[in-house]
Amino acid sequence: MDANAPQNPNDDASAHPSTTRPGRWSLRRRVALGVGVATVAIIAWFGYSAWDVQHNLTNARDNAELAKKSLLTGDSEAAQRASADAEASAVDGQQSLHSAPWRVVAAIPGVGAPFKSAQEMSDVVVGLTRDVLTPAVETGSALSPKDLVADGGKVQLRPLRDAAPQLEQISLSARSLADQAHQVSEGGYLGLVNDVRTELQSQTDDVAKLLENTATGAKIVPAMLGADGPRTYFMAFQTNAEARGTGGLVGGYGVIRAEGGEVEVDTLGKNSEVSYDHEPLDLGPEYKALYGKYDPSTDIRNSNFSSHFPYAAQIWQSMWKQESGETVDGAIATDPVALSYVLDAVGPITMPDGEKVTADNVVELTMSTAYTRFIDDETNGKAGGNEARKNYLQTIASKVVDKMTGDIKSPQKLLDAVGKAASERRIAVWSAHPDEQAIIAGTPLGFTIPEDPAPYAGVVVNNNAGNKLDYYLTREIDYTAETCTGETRTSTVTVRLTNHTPDRDFPRYVAGTYNGRPVPSGTNLAMVSLLATNGATLTKATLDGKQTFAVNGSELGHPVFIVPTTVPKGKTVELRYELTEPATAGKARVPVQPLVDEPKVTVNVPNCGN
């Protein structure tokens, strides 16, 4: 064939496309290659950008923590450096997340969900560092525990009072940012982003609560510690081995005197030294109907049956006025578990016989060992008996108080211990000054029953035998309600009580009963009260599946249902309240009565406001 002859268009040119159409296919390849390179570049950029964001936000978190630690140790310069570094890192992370590529992707429906969530979270973090951390460090430099508490335990009140307005503003900013964190969009298909979102919401809530408590303290502590004149407070030592509404039976007491930030405790006494010959205090018809038969305002042992601490505090104020002629400015209550936290901060105490009382043994010593150690001192459980044991417990209380009000090596550890006890409601405070009490009532220290309509299940155990077996009692509480489909819904509150009393030769006043009931030694007899949601009605109460009788009453707007409950040694009983309650808005609350155990609490109650 002639090489120069024209080719037949029907020849099999398709067998060699690369040679017959080189321009067309090379262009496709170049385009594909270009798109691939661009895609890889974009992915690489986003990968680097994501790493950069994580790096900056991690730096912000770590420096924020360093600023806090430096502040608490009194190193204000280090705190300010760390605060500035935290803010700079947070801003860098925010700028990356709000760059043009991130904004474009964040705007894509569905695909952009985690990007948008990350942007919103970075805004919260910047706000926290700029509007909360930085001013908090500036203000807190004057409030370092190291400088705030002088030698001898005197509290410097002027810096605290001066800082109150600024702390209030910082607290408001923290709460606003916590609310903003709860408005952050969900991360969609990226579970990791959702996990970070949940963590941020929890952290901002914690910061807001901490600053709210700090601002509250700065507002009222100076006056309460005698900045404007002497103050006195009745202090009750509660023993959780015999349960009462606010924790435990009042076994002893003291009077706190404060002036100019200096605090001392005197007039330590035993409950057996408080007369029963008092004029009763009128706390209203509801209170009288529920608790009147126990003579709470004339018998200090029964003064705190109600879980509303202001009732007990007012009774103690009335009693002390009739005992001494002195009107106290308020009342405080604490328990051996709180003392264990304090001893962990200030160190052990030494008893006159050389015995060491430490954070590890004070709870068992005061609520278990002491009752068997002084078994020969028993006087049939009558008032005024067991003097050796009561003297022993009073000595422990006195020495712990001396340690707290003396030279303190680590004020921060002591403040942390007190804060932990307060968060568990193991320290309760009431002020006779209405402006102060209005603030305290809204904090954990107030130990109050709320009067709003939000879902509520307050389970209260009161010892019904006069024994000391609640040291061995453990609790489980479950509050479950149906969805918000109507004006009312069905709910259940389930309480499981387990009696762990060991086989031991206990005195009768520890493991027996005082009212002659024919029950075996070691049997726990409890009056279990449920303070339910406002407007709730009881459909049925059961004990171990069998319907039982409940005493009805009301307290501060809450219906109260009381069931006498017997818990044999080594057994668990289940008390179940079946209710119809209003489908009201608000987060469900299950306050924990401060006994010895840490109860397991489960809440499955939809918020009808969402």
Side-chain angles (χ1 to χ4, degrees):
M1 180 180 290
D2 186 352
N4 296 320
Q7 294 182 350
N8 187 338
N10 294 323
D11 286 349
D12 190 15
S14 62
H16 308 282
S18 62
T19 59
T20 58
R21 297 172 182 150
R24 177 181 174 186
W25 288 101
S26 295
L27 178 60
R28 287 182 178 179
R29 286 185 174 182
R30 285 197 298 270
V31 170
L33 180 61
V35 170
V37 170
T39 301
V40 171
I42 290 172
I43 292 173
W45 183 88
F46 270 111
Y48 172 78
S49 180
W51 173 87
D52 185 58
V53 167
Q54 181 187 29
H55 174 72
N56 279 311
L57 295 185
T58 299
N59 277 347
R61 180 197 63 192
D62 292 345
N63 277 296
E65 183 66 20
L66 177 60
K68 184 185 79 170
K69 290 181 178 179
S70 300
L71 189 63
L72 294 177
T73 57
D75 191 346
S76 59
E77 291 184 3
Q80 289 171 348
R81 286 196 303 270
S83 173
D85 290 344
E87 184 175 347
S89 295
V91 169
D92 287 345
Q94 183 192 44
Q95 290 175 344
S96 295
L97 283 167
H98 284 275
S99 61
W102 280 87
R103 290 200 306 271
V104 170
V105 176
I108 301 174
V111 174
F115 299 90
K116 181 180 180 182
S117 181
Q119 288 177 326
E120 292 172 352
M121 285 191 283
S122 74
D123 296 340
V124 174
V125 173
V126 168
L128 280 172
T129 57
R130 182 189 59 213
D131 301 331
V132 175
L133 179 61
T134 298
V137 166
E138 293 173 354
T139 303
S141 296
L143 298 179
S144 166
K146 179 181 176 182
D147 300 321
L148 199 60
V149 182
D151 291 342
K154 180 179 179 179
V155 180
Q156 304 300 313
L157 301 179
R158 174 52 60 187
L160 195 59
R161 177 168 274 179
D162 290 345
Q166 181 68 6
L167 287 171
E168 177 71 15
Q169 184 56 52
I170 297 170
S171 171
L172 292 173
S173 297
R175 175 49 62 193
S176 176
L177 285 161
D179 293 340
Q180 183 179 335
H182 282 278
Q183 300 303 316
V184 169
S185 306
E186 290 191 10
Y189 53 87
L190 283 185
L192 178 61
V193 174
N194 284 322
D195 291 343
V196 174
R197 172 177 171 266
T198 300
E199 182 180 358
L200 179 65
Q201 290 170 345
S202 176
Q203 290 174 338
T204 53
D205 281 338
D206 289 343
V207 169
K209 289 176 184 176
L210 173 63
L211 286 168
E212 284 166 354
N213 290 338
T214 303
T216 296
K219 189 181 296 184
I220 65 174
V221 165
M224 293 188 72
L225 291 186
D228 305 317
R231 290 289 188 94
T232 58
Y233 302 92
F234 184 93
M235 183 166 69
F237 297 103
Q238 301 182 124
T239 173
N240 319 82
E242 185 174 342
R244 292 290 187 271
T246 62
L249 172 88
V250 179
Y253 67 91
V255 175
I256 298 176
R257 305 191 185 281
E259 185 171 8
E262 293 187 81
V263 180
E264 64 176 8
V265 179
D266 63 19
T267 326
L268 289 168
K270 304 180 281 288
N271 62 5
S272 56
E273 297 172 355
V274 180
S275 169
Y276 300 155
D277 187 21
H278 298 137
E279 286 295 322
L281 179 67
D282 184 5
L283 291 171
E286 284 187 346
Y287 183 91
K288 184 176 182 179
L290 277 174
Y291 309 111
K293 65 180 179 180
Y294 301 107
D295 300 321
S297 65
T298 58
D299 187 342
I300 194 170
R301 298 170 301 178
N302 296 337
S303 57
N304 52 341
F305 262 68
S306 170
S307 59
H308 188 61
F309 182 70
Y311 285 154
Q314 291 174 75
I315 289 172
W316 298 336
Q317 183 192 49
S318 172
M319 285 184 173
W320 188 244
K321 172 68 173 178
Q322 295 181 61
E323 289 278 327
S324 69
E326 180 179 38
T327 301
V328 295
D329 294 286
I332 300 170
T334 189
D335 68 13
V337 179
L339 292 185
S340 74
Y341 301 157
V342 169
L343 288 175
D344 188 49
V346 302
I349 59 172
T350 303
M351 300 294 280
D353 63 357
E355 179 184 24
K356 294 284 186 181
V357 179
T358 70
D360 295 328
N361 67 15
V362 66
V363 174
E364 184 176 4
L365 278 175
T366 56
M367 290 195 280
S368 178
T369 304
Y371 291 106
T372 54
R373 178 181 296 182
F374 300 101
I375 189 171
D376 294 335
D377 186 56
E378 182 185 356
T379 56
N380 298 319
K382 295 179 181 178
N386 315 305
E387 289 304 305
R389 175 181 57 82
K390 292 183 178 183
N391 288 333
Y392 175 75
L393 299 178
Q394 185 172 317
T395 300
I396 291 177
S398 175
K399 288 187 172 294
V400 172
V401 167
D402 288 344
K403 195 112 180 181
M404 287 182 65
T405 55
D407 291 334
I408 301 170
K409 293 181 179 179
S410 176
Q412 179 55 42
K413 287 186 68 175
L414 179 58
L415 289 175
D416 288 344
V418 172
K420 181 180 180 181
S423 70
E424 296 177 5
R425 308 177 89 193
R426 299 189 182 281
I427 296 178
V429 177
W430 171 79
S431 174
H433 299 260
D435 55 335
E436 295 170 2
Q437 178 56 25
I439 297 172
I440 294 169
T443 72
L445 287 171
F447 209 141
T448 57
I449 297 173
E451 299 183 60
D452 60 71
Y456 189 81
V459 177
V460 180
V461 176
N462 272 295
N463 188 293
N464 198 33
N467 58 35
K468 312 301 177 187
L469 293 182
D470 295 314
Y471 177 77
Y472 306 102
L473 186 71
T474 59
R475 299 161 291 168
E476 293 181 35
I477 302 170
D478 178 272
Y479 180 22
T480 299
E482 292 182 343
T483 56
C484 314
T485 55
E487 293 185 358
T488 62
R489 59 183 173 182
T490 298
S491 66
T492 59
V493 178
T494 305
V495 184
R496 296 181 187 89
L497 302 176
T498 302
N499 182 350
H500 298 279
T501 302
D503 291 325
R504 195 180 300 169
D505 184 20
F506 287 108
R508 187 168 67 85
Y509 71 88
V510 173
T513 62
Y514 290 159
N515 52 10
R517 292 192 182 185
V519 295
S521 176
T523 301
N524 192 306
L525 300 176
M527 296 293 287
V528 182
S529 303
L530 170 66
L531 282 77
T533 304
N534 288 358
T537 58
L538 180 67
T539 303
K540 182 171 64 174
T542 61
L543 264 175
D544 290 334
K546 298 179 180 179
Q547 189 162 351
T548 187
F549 172 75
V551 177
N552 294 358
S554 61
E555 186 165 13
L556 296 169
H558 294 268
V560 181
F561 310 110
I562 306 173
V563 177
T565 305
T566 299
V567 190
K569 183 168 65 175
K571 301 295 183 181
T572 297
V573 300
E574 181 179 281
L575 171 58
R576 182 182 176 91
Y577 298 91
E578 298 180 12
L579 306 157
T580 299
E581 64 177 32
T584 53
K587 183 179 180 181
R589 294 151 301 172
V590 181
V592 175
Q593 180 185 10
L595 300 180
V596 180
D597 69 319
E598 296 180 6
K600 177 183 177 182
V601 177
T602 307
V603 181
N604 294 295
V605 179
N607 185 340
C608 294
N610 291 338

